[in-house]
Amino acid sequence: MLHNFDLNLLVVLHTLLEERSVTRTGQRLGRTQSAISNSLRRLRDSLGDPLLVRTPDGLSPTPRAAELAPLLAKIVQDADACIARPDAFDPTTAEAQFSIGAPDRFSLPVLLPLLEHLGRVAPGIVVNLRTTDRDYAIRLIEAEEIDLAIGWFDATPPHLRRMFAYEDRFVCLCRRDHPLLESGRDLDLGDLLAYSHLVVSSTSDRRAAFDAVLDRHGASRTIAATLMSFTIVPELLLTSDLVGVFTHRTSDYFVRRYGLVAVPVPLAMAPIANHLIWHRRFEGNQAHAWLRDQIKQVCAREN
């Protein structure tokens, strides 16, 4: 029935029921008296009821109109809410939840300072973290299970937006008295591959991004253990001859807190470009845009 009904007539009827006057209704809606009278005639035809009858005190609603009055008030209120511009986002008072996908390597250098920052400036913002690799993050965004993701993405579908976050590079992490460092000279690839490696992979498939780099150079490494998080990485490196090739932001965290040593990886390779990605449906969302900006600011800081 709505396809053949002019919904603007409901606004006219709502106003007529409040004003009880065709003249005042026209003034309030900025329309002529004849236009309001014509709308009332169309309403009567559509609803099959007089709706308003003239009395010495003005227009009086019929029982049908009186029954419609609260429904019309609700319709007009809801319509106003639909078309009203949202209030400016205020992080100090806002209450919202966001889900962020990221590999575990972002937990310490990016997500930890982000959560600390949000706790100070936006106490009502709740962040849920999901460990993701590249393909999994895209699938979760498309399934509306996460709001945005950060990581290394070769390509993204056209319906996803992306924003540069920061560049990273690989370094070799080991204990300070590791035999790898005893010669005092610059490492070559043979030195690095002579020791067993510790790998952190969110997919637990015994491969990480550095293995793809080695493939391009026709090399491979011996992997002694694969972990899904960095939780026990410092302890394993401090108590063994294992080495790990990780991004420098994560490695710097362990260097400062555990006395480990990070040395350059002896391979020529382009920096890793990390991006934020999100679905384009969030383009106009103030809260989402604000959170993206906070992540970008955290990423811009050097540890």
Side-chain angles (χ1 to χ4, degrees), residues 85-218:
R85 291 184 178 273
D87 294 334
F89 178 74
D90 183 356
T92 62
T93 59
E95 293 186 0
Q97 289 198 33
F98 294 96
S99 293
I100 300 175
D104 193 63
R105 64 186 173 89
F106 289 92
S107 296
L108 295 173
V110 175
L111 299 177
L112 177 59
L114 173 68
L115 294 176
E116 292 172 343
H117 172 67
L118 294 181
R120 293 190 299 270
V121 303
I125 301 294
V126 177
V127 172
N128 303 308
L129 304 177
R130 296 280 296 269
T131 301
T132 58
D133 63 2
R134 287 175 285 178
D135 295 337
Y136 188 39
I138 292 173
R139 291 200 302 272
L140 290 180
I141 288 177
E142 292 177 332
E144 301 184 22
E145 293 188 35
I146 60 174
D147 300 296
L148 70 161
I150 183 171
W152 172 28
F153 302 97
D154 293 324
T156 50
H159 53 273
L160 298 190
R161 299 289 184 258
R162 60 191 290 159
M163 176 174 67
F164 176 76
Y166 69 94
E167 286 188 342
D168 220 333
R169 64 181 185 274
F170 287 121
V171 297
C172 175
L173 193 65
C174 63
R175 57 186 170 87
R176 190 172 298 278
D177 56 348
H178 196 286
L180 180 67
L181 308 177
E182 287 179 354
S183 68
R185 60 178 174 80
D186 291 340
L187 302 182
D188 60 30
L189 186 58
D191 297 329
L192 180 62
L193 300 182
Y195 294 90
S196 295
H197 285 231
L198 179 62
V199 169
V200 177
S201 171
S202 59
T203 58
S204 191
D205 61 358
R206 295 186 61 79
R207 283 180 64 84
F210 183 61
D211 293 288
V213 175
L214 290 175
D215 289 343
R216 291 195 292 270
H217 287 79

Side-chain angles (χ1 to χ4, degrees), residues 15-33 36 57-59:
T15 310
L16 279 167
L17 289 170
E18 288 193 335
E19 297 293 345
R20 307 293 176 92
S21 163
V22 170
T23 301
R24 290 194 298 273
T25 295
Q27 292 171 345
R28 182 166 155 186
L29 297 180
R31 299 172 64 182
T32 65
Q33 183 173 336
I36 300 301
D57 297 325
L59 296 177

